[in-house]
Amino acid sequence: MSLYKTITVNKHTKVLIWKIEESFEALNKVVTLTNHCQERLHKMRSEIHQRGFLSVRHLLAELGYTDFDLYYDSTGKPHLKDGKHISITHSFNFSAIIVSDSIPVGIDIEMQRDKILRIAHKFTPLQEYNTIANHEALVRKVTIVWGGKESIYKVFAKKGLSFLKHIDIDDFSIEASKTKGTVYYGKEIATYSLDFLEFEGFTCVYALEENR
């Protein structure tokens, strides 16, 4: 089994990251799924998505949960039946969950790729990054911004929420490993603390709700 990293964010909140090195068969044979999730698994066309889906169930098991402890609301947001807050992500050969017994949380993992610069205008004003001359540093920073907005989106979970129009990420240095994000949606304002880490060409960002 491939539990890659455990982060104790605080006494109420944990992040678990899995490196997906096992075959589909190895991941599947020790997991029992609900009928709903079994159907979801069978409908996935890509084996990497199937393995990511199953690896998340192994992460749940690390915290004493099974697939039967998890359910999804009408927006697709996951919840735990014991009332704790959870968020889930997987990207290529990594997956992660964040669980908190006190506050809403969100998490996202992204591979660092040049592709992020081609779509960046859809979620952040590109002119804000004119001072970054190094291409690799630019990819890393924009990936963190995307991950921050994605993790906040998973917490806020309102229809019509726009990454570009409604979610702002405070400027940050990559070395600081943290920043803040704010949602301005109609009359609602919500603030989030964001922590991020990089490993093996991937970026993980997780959001903790501060005020809403």
Side-chain angles (χ1 to χ4, degrees), residues 51 53 60 63 143 174:
R51 290 164 67 208
F53 184 85
L60 287 169
L63 295 179
T143 302
I174 293 176

Side-chain angles (χ1 to χ4, degrees), residues 109-127:
I109 286 181
E110 299 290 339
M111 180 185 281
Q112 297 166 0
R113 297 186 288 173
D114 289 347
K115 177 184 176 183
I116 196 76
L117 300 183
R118 297 198 297 272
I119 64 170
H121 66 279
K122 296 181 179 181
F123 64 87
T124 188
L126 276 174
Q127 63 270 20

Side-chain angles (χ1 to χ4, degrees), residues 83-97:
K84 292 186 180 182
H85 304 276
I86 186 171
S87 184
I88 293 168
T89 184
H90 49 85
S91 176
F92 295 91
N93 58 320
F94 282 97
S95 61
I97 62 173

Side-chain angles (χ1 to χ4, degrees), residues 59-94:
L59 287 172
L60 287 169
E62 292 287 335
L63 295 179
Y65 294 107
T66 72
D67 193 50
F68 291 83
D69 297 308
L70 188 71
Y71 71 96
Y72 297 84
D73 64 22
S74 59
T75 69
K77 185 176 180 178
H79 298 268
L80 288 168
K81 291 180 179 178
D82 65 4
K84 292 186 180 182
H85 304 276
I86 186 171
S87 184
I88 293 168
T89 184
H90 49 85
S91 176
F92 295 91
N93 58 320
F94 282 97

Side-chain angles (χ1 to χ4, degrees), residues 148-193:
K149 292 196 174 192
E150 181 70 32
S151 60
I152 288 172
Y153 182 86
K154 289 180 177 182
V155 187
F156 197 83
K158 287 285 185 75
K159 187 177 180 180
L161 185 70
S162 164
F163 282 28
L164 183 63
K165 296 177 181 178
H166 301 136
I167 307 175
D168 288 345
I169 305 295
D170 290 0
D171 194 20
F172 59 90
S173 69
I174 293 176
E175 293 72 26
S177 299
K178 60 180 58 199
T179 185
K180 288 185 181 292
T182 306
V183 173
Y184 301 95
Y185 185 78
K187 294 182 179 180
E188 288 189 74
I189 298 176
T191 57
Y192 301 86
S193 63

